[in-house]
Amino acid sequence: MIKEKADAWQMELTEITWQYEKILEDFDLTSLNLKPGPNHWSPMEIVQHIILVNTSYFPIFDQIIQQQYKSPFMGKLPFYGSKMGDIILSSMNKSSKIKTFNSWKPSDKLYNNDLKTKFFKQQDQLSNYLSKLEPFLEENLMISSPANNWIVYPLDKAIEIIFAHEKRHLSQIKNLLKSN
């Protein structure tokens, strides 16, 4: 069961990455750096945001793989963590704007092709983590959000949240570029 789930995640990540590759290669940097308004992110800022969010999980993943991760206090309440994960995951599927944590806000600047390279490298790292985390998925580990220790959810829910977050922003980027 766990192996099938991990394989499905790898396929899903491959599909998501391909979708990003397609859209980031179809548009020039001018279009990708264009903001729809003063309080909105450009497509490249959205990509930077995804990198910030995803890579903030990597130290947690490393600790889990090295078997040094200490479950947060709130993680000792599985019902709370499970419910919190469900709430966050369902929020990814809503069209309403969600305010992000400051640590995940992109820099307000113009980006070049290096950001695309960094994004795809980060996607490869995420794929590698999925493989290495597979043995730990059966342990029902609760992890805290990299942005807030009081927000906890199961490890497998974290992966689903990462994917839902990437899909949400992929849709946002497509809509931004469609309106340009």
Side-chain angles (χ1 to χ4, degrees):
M1 173 84 165
I2 296 298
K3 175 79 173 133
E4 290 83 12
K5 193 175 202 177
D7 288 346
W9 282 336
Q10 287 289 0
M11 290 190 312
E12 186 174 3
L13 181 62
T14 300
E15 173 64 24
I16 293 168
T17 303
W18 180 79
Q19 291 283 334
Y20 271 97
E21 187 174 353
K22 193 170 165 230
I23 203 156
L24 292 175
E25 297 308 318
D26 284 352
F27 290 88
D28 62 17
L29 284 173
T30 302
S31 300
L32 293 171
N33 277 293
L34 192 62
K35 291 179 176 223
N39 293 322
H40 295 87
W41 294 343
S42 71
M44 289 296 269
E45 287 173 320
I46 294 168
V47 169
Q48 174 62 20
H49 163 70
I50 293 167
I51 293 169
L52 291 170
V53 171
N54 289 1
T55 58
S56 71
Y57 280 93
F58 293 175
I60 295 170
F61 294 165
D62 284 331
Q63 290 173 15
I64 291 169
I65 292 162
Q66 296 161 6
Q67 298 183 1
Q68 297 173 345
Y69 186 72
K70 302 273 188 266
S71 194
F73 173 74
M74 295 305 287
K76 298 190 185 343
L77 306 169
F79 174 77
Y80 172 79
S82 187
K83 188 73 174 155
M84 183 67 65
D86 289 342
I87 290 168
I88 293 169
L89 186 58
S90 71
S91 75
M92 292 294 137
N93 298 319
K94 294 181 180 161
S95 60
S96 58
K97 193 172 177 180
I98 301 170
K99 190 162 173 64
T100 193
F101 290 100
N102 285 335
S103 60
W104 290 341
K105 287 184 180 174
S107 301
D108 185 14
K109 68 176 195 176
L110 295 178
Y111 291 94
N112 61 29
N113 283 322
D114 292 347
L115 184 67
K116 294 180 191 179
T117 303
K118 189 175 179 181
F119 174 77
F120 294 117
K121 182 179 178 214
Q122 171 274 143
Q123 291 292 88
D124 285 341
Q125 288 176 289
L126 184 56
S127 175
N128 288 333
Y129 277 118
L130 290 176
S131 297
K132 291 177 182 176
L133 289 169
E134 186 180 328
F136 301 96
L137 294 172
E138 293 176 336
E139 295 180 17
N140 297 318
L141 283 173
M142 287 287 186
I143 67 167
S144 59
S145 163
N148 186 322
N149 287 334
W150 293 100
I151 300 173
V152 299
Y153 32 78
L155 175 60
D156 62 333
K157 193 70 69 174
I159 294 165
E160 291 174 22
I161 289 168
I162 289 170
F163 288 168
H165 181 249
E166 286 195 9
K167 289 178 190 174
R168 174 187 175 89
H169 283 304
L170 179 63
S171 177
Q172 183 183 6
I173 290 172
K174 286 179 179 178
N175 289 335
L176 283 173
L177 292 170
K178 210 184 299 178
S179 64
N180 286 347

